Amino acid sequence: MSNPFSAFFQFLLPGTAVDDQNTLHEKIIAFACIMSFLAAFYSLIKWSKLGYDSLAMWAWLLVIGAPILAVLNKYKVLPAMLLANLSVLMMVIYCSSLIYHLGGIHSPHIFWVVGIMVFAYLITDSKFGFMWILVMTVFTLMLIIADQSNYLLPHFELDAKQAKINIYSGYLLPIIVIGATLWFSNRIRQEAQQS
């Protein structure tokens, strides 16, 4: 008997496979949608409870967008590469907003920059992966310039306990999500090679 996550994941996959490469992309897109939704849902609850509505609002992009992309992937409404890039675009928008609103270049959420690069290479191809690296490099450069120019970024006051939770979740959540995604990607590649 499979666990609930595996059953849900299988439900999100298209029924018929076109080719092995497409199937691999579809599986990674489905997994990325699940991970994006979970991370954004956690953020939505966290920032809504703290009353930081301008940041919680951005989480809705992934909370709504990830399930829509998962359905489009399941029914093969759009090409897999377009869905993969839309998935990365939503991550870029949300994670950039998160970093911008929570300290800029000094944000505990800065690891999402690397996370997006990893996701981009896993679910797109080399050409688009490189494009997303350039996007995140430009974003990081803008954060550095803003910091060096003493540009005032939005600031939300957190109490000591909230700041501690923000630091732990900010640094650890990207590492956990990246690690789970790399593990999953490696696992399905091994399965594809064996079959």
Side-chain angles (χ1 to χ4, degrees), residues 72-141:
L72 294 174
N73 183 51
K74 177 178 176 62
Y75 295 105
K76 300 184 181 193
V77 176
L78 297 172
M81 194 55 62
L82 177 58
L83 291 174
N85 279 291
L86 287 173
S87 179
V88 176
L89 175 63
M90 288 191 315
M91 290 178 208
V92 167
I93 292 169
Y94 176 66
C95 292
S96 297
S97 172
L98 188 67
I99 294 165
Y100 175 79
H101 281 89
L102 294 169
I105 198 69
H106 304 289
S107 174
H109 302 273
I110 196 71
F111 285 161
W112 282 118
V113 169
V114 177
I116 289 168
M117 292 182 204
V118 171
F119 268 111
Y121 264 99
L122 285 175
I123 67 176
T124 65
D125 58 15
S126 297
K127 177 179 66 176
F128 286 114
F130 182 70
M131 178 195 77
W132 290 116
I133 282 182
L134 290 178
V135 168
M136 295 317 295
T137 300
V138 168
F139 173 69
T140 304
L141 183 60

Side-chain angles (χ1 to χ4, degrees), residues 24-44:
L24 193 63
H25 269 119
E26 290 162 354
K27 286 182 178 181
I28 294 174
I29 291 168
F31 188 79
C33 286
I34 292 170
M35 296 305 287
S36 297
F37 175 82
L38 292 175
F41 190 68
Y42 165 76
S43 290
L44 176 65

Side-chain angles (χ1 to χ4, degrees), residues 99-100 103-106 138-154:
I99 294 165
Y100 175 79
I105 198 69
H106 304 289
V138 168
F139 173 69
T140 304
L141 183 60
M142 289 169 54
L143 291 175
I144 293 169
I145 291 169
D147 181 63
Q148 294 297 305
S149 304
N150 295 318
Y151 178 79
L152 289 178
L153 297 173

